[in-house]
Amino acid sequence: MDGETVIGVTDTLTVRASQIRSEAIMWQPLLRSAVIKEHDYQVIAVYDTMTKEQQMERLKVDGLNIVKTLINLTISICNEKILQHVLVLVNDVLTNKDNISLFEEIEKGNTAEKAVNNDSSKGLSSWEPFLDLLNRPDEFIVNQSCLILAKVISCGRFRLDSKNLNWFINWQVSQLLQNNTYLHTILASQQLMLRVPEYRAPFYNSTCLDKMLNILSTRISFQLQYQMVFCFWLLSFRTTYCFKLLDFIKPTAEILRQAAKEKVIRIILQFYRNLLTNHSAPRKAAELMIQGKVQVVMGQLIEKNWKDEDIKEDVEHVKGVLDEMLQDMSTFDSYLAEVKSGKLEWSPLHTNPAFWRENAQKLNQNDHEVLRMIRILLKDEQDPTTLAVCAHDVGEYVRHYPVGKYNIEKLGLKERVVCLLDNDDPKEFCAGTEEATTPYPDVVPRNFGLMPYSMIG
């Protein structure tokens, strides 16, 4: 998986950074007022006048000196506008991953200095100034510092200690809000950090996944969808984390049905493939995917011509596993999975009398579990096809299990079905059977035909 999109995201932070980069800063007044030191002034006064390309070349020659100056300025400057500018310059340094070694060298020097002095006094740290800036009120300063810190502690060999790591992760979790205009940046920092195996447990044990589930269930951009699923994909390499990740199958299946962006489809497929491969109970993952009609989507995706061969391979793999699972499932298991999905369609499962003769009584299992789920759909669902199929199934249940009429009355199904019978709205159902263009008043009574009229009237 190519990670360039993690760092190259076009979002609020990137747009604002472009504006800040173009604003000229007067450094000499800071020198005269002793806000910055002479050495740092000499470095930044030259470096800040260069183009971005010239700065990259200069870093190859004098990189350590420049990064030390930028960190010194981050510590000494309080003015928000100038601090924003410095942070943009720091982040620009890190756009080249090779420059992470400059920060590592500074941290090595800091550690060595503390060891020589045999005390815990602060030297020049490559990460602490950015952690401290997370407490600032300015949104750009906070989020730019977050992304810089994530890069420093993830892209090289340096690792943050557990105390500060937990604080940083909890801070990130607090920023996982749908209305956060810098949400792209928070997720980008998490994408970077979750590449590091030892950082995954603190994320998993936080409330991060709960927050993401809430956001993913709302209307968000395809970029945010991609970034979140990318995080799930990274966590899914750990078998023990997969059970909690099952909660994300339903919302990602909905996204997959509507996804137009190839990269969103690709990351969801890779997430599913991991769940079906790494999970200690892959059958459960497959069942949830079947409930979410993922196998139907796979049938559509496999017909497309993909430029990316990995997508084609992932589609074939996921489809193959789900097809095999469907063959192993009993007919009633398939019916149960469809009811649990909340979206019912006309199919032989519903219209075949042999199915109902064999399985009608199974609707009584687990304290009428299936009937209770149908009751919820009849109460809350708006899709006319799902409502019609539910009403049809209740009728077939009573027709093949006459004693069941007392169950549907006790569970409150009768009242809702009667309501549908009285509905003269000429809605039409979208399916490939004779029921496809039949309004409620015609299709439902046909399926209730053998019920006593007193039962439905």
Side-chain angles (χ1 to χ4, degrees):
M1 174 63 64
D2 185 359
E4 290 305 311
T5 51
V6 177
I7 296 178
V9 173
T10 302
D11 57 16
T12 305
L13 188 83
T14 307
V15 173
R16 184 76 186 100
S18 181
Q19 297 168 346
I20 292 169
R21 190 182 292 109
S22 65
E23 296 169 357
I25 301 295
M26 301 298 292
W27 298 105
Q28 197 166 31
L30 296 176
L31 175 64
R32 287 200 301 264
S33 58
V35 173
I36 63 176
K37 297 178 180 179
E38 174 70 30
H39 173 78
D40 292 332
Y41 168 75
Q42 295 296 335
V43 173
I44 193 64
V46 175
Y47 183 76
D48 195 32
T49 60
M50 296 177 176
T51 65
K52 197 171 180 180
E53 291 73 20
Q54 289 172 332
Q55 288 174 349
M56 291 298 108
E57 288 301 315
R58 184 62 183 168
L59 285 166
K60 294 177 182 178
V61 178
D62 195 26
L64 187 60
N65 194 27
I66 292 168
V67 171
K68 283 182 177 180
T69 289
L70 292 174
I71 295 176
N72 284 334
L73 296 177
T74 300
I75 296 169
S76 61
I77 292 172
C78 295
N79 180 284
E80 287 187 349
K81 180 182 177 181
I82 301 175
L83 182 55
Q84 289 174 350
H85 191 88
V86 173
L87 290 172
V88 169
L89 294 178
V90 175
N91 191 62
D92 285 348
V93 172
L94 288 165
T95 55
N96 184 336
K97 289 186 287 187
D98 292 338
N99 290 334
I100 194 68
S101 61
L102 301 172
F103 291 80
E104 290 178 331
E105 194 167 343
I106 290 172
E107 194 57 38
K108 283 181 183 178
N110 180 34
T111 303
E113 184 178 336
K114 289 181 179 180
V116 170
N117 296 330
N118 197 26
D119 61 35
S120 58
S121 60
K122 289 186 177 180
L124 184 64
S125 170
S126 65
W127 58 269
E128 284 187 79
F130 308 108
L131 187 70
D132 292 340
L133 288 175
L134 298 180
N135 294 311
R136 294 288 289 260
D138 182 82
E139 285 189 339
F140 180 84
I141 289 174
V142 163
N143 286 280
Q144 184 68 88
S145 298
C146 170
L147 190 58
I148 291 170
L149 180 58
K151 292 176 182 179
V152 171
I153 67 174
S154 305
C155 296
R157 289 167 292 183
F158 174 74
R159 297 293 176 258
L160 198 58
D161 63 276
S162 60
K163 181 181 177 181
N164 286 300
L165 176 64
N166 285 323
W167 189 92
F168 184 32
I169 289 173
N170 287 330
W171 180 88
Q172 288 177 322
V173 171
S174 72
Q175 305 301 305
L176 288 173
L177 302 168
Q178 187 187 5
N179 61 356
N180 183 356
T181 55
Y182 287 90
L183 186 55
H184 287 87
T185 304
I186 301 300
L187 292 173
S189 68
Q190 293 179 327
Q191 286 175 269
L192 287 166
M193 292 175 66
L194 286 171
R195 293 169 180 269
V196 181
E198 54 262 48
Y199 289 166
R200 291 173 187 169
F203 270 106
Y204 181 80
N205 293 326
S206 71
T207 57
C208 179
L209 290 178
D210 295 329
K211 287 283 196 76
M212 285 185 173
L213 183 59
N214 290 335
I215 297 173
L216 199 65
S217 301
T218 63
R219 293 179 64 85
I220 56 176
S221 69
F222 78 86
Q223 179 61 36
L224 291 176
Q225 291 173 345
Y226 171 80
Q227 288 180 272
M228 285 192 184
V229 181
F230 191 100
C231 292
F232 309 153
W233 171 67
L234 289 171
L235 286 170
S236 66
F237 283 95
R238 182 78 175 267
T239 302
T240 53
Y241 297 164
C242 286
F243 183 79
K244 194 171 182 179
L245 292 171
L246 294 179
D247 292 340
F248 293 92
I249 290 178
K250 184 176 180 179
T252 52
E254 185 66 31
I255 291 169
L256 190 61
R257 282 196 290 271
Q258 302 173 6
K261 294 293 182 178
E262 192 166 294
K263 72 175 187 177
V264 177
I265 295 171
R266 181 178 67 241
I267 196 64
I268 291 177
L269 290 173
Q270 292 184 339
F271 172 51
Y272 284 175
R273 187 165 184 171
N274 273 8
L275 290 181
L276 294 170
T277 305
N278 298 339
H279 198 285
S280 55
R283 182 182 178 89
K284 180 63 177 176
E287 287 176 354
L288 289 171
M289 291 178 198
I290 290 169
Q291 289 174 24
K293 304 294 181 67
V294 172
Q295 77 281 10
V296 176
V297 181
M298 292 301 104
Q300 298 166 350
L301 295 181
I302 205 166
E303 299 296 326
K304 294 188 176 183
N305 293 321
W306 300 102
K307 295 179 182 177
D308 187 340
E309 285 296 318
D310 288 341
I311 293 183
K312 182 179 179 182
E313 182 184 340
D314 289 335
V315 170
E316 291 174 349
H317 180 86
V318 173
K319 185 178 186 299
V321 173
L322 296 184
D323 286 347
E324 185 178 339
M325 180 63 70
L326 277 168
Q327 290 177 0
D328 291 342
M329 292 171 68
S330 70
T331 306
F332 185 74
D333 286 336
S334 300
Y335 175 77
L336 181 60
E338 184 179 8
V339 174
K340 286 183 176 179
S341 77
K343 296 292 181 185
L344 276 60
E345 299 172 353
W346 293 115
S347 70
L349 274 179
H350 304 280
T351 58
N352 186 352
F355 170 80
W356 289 106
R357 283 195 300 271
E358 184 178 332
N359 295 289
Q361 292 191 47
K362 292 182 180 179
L363 271 63
N364 300 325
Q365 293 176 354
N366 298 323
D367 192 24
H368 308 98
E369 177 190 19
V370 176
L371 291 175
R372 292 178 188 277
M373 287 189 286
I374 289 176
R375 178 182 63 186
I376 292 172
L377 291 176
L378 286 170
K379 179 175 180 289
D380 299 334
E381 184 55 51
Q382 299 298 315
D383 176 56
T385 301
T386 296
L387 289 171
V389 176
C390 283
H392 167 277
D393 288 1
V394 174
E396 292 300 292
Y397 165 70
V398 173
R399 181 147 72 103
H400 292 88
Y401 182 66
V403 180
K405 64 184 180 182
Y406 301 108
N407 292 331
I408 70 165
E409 186 167 21
K410 181 176 68 175
L411 293 170
L413 286 161
K414 170 188 170 182
E415 183 179 353
R416 181 55 182 152
V417 171
V418 170
C419 206
L420 290 176
L421 289 172
D422 291 339
N423 185 358
D424 58 0
D425 183 357
K427 290 179 181 176
E428 296 185 348
F429 307 122
C430 302
T433 68
E434 64 173 319
E435 286 88 352
T437 56
T438 309
Y440 280 131
D442 296 329
V443 69
V444 179
R446 182 191 313 161
N447 297 316
F448 276 75
L450 297 182
M451 290 178 61
Y453 184 77
S454 60
M455 186 62 215
I456 61 174

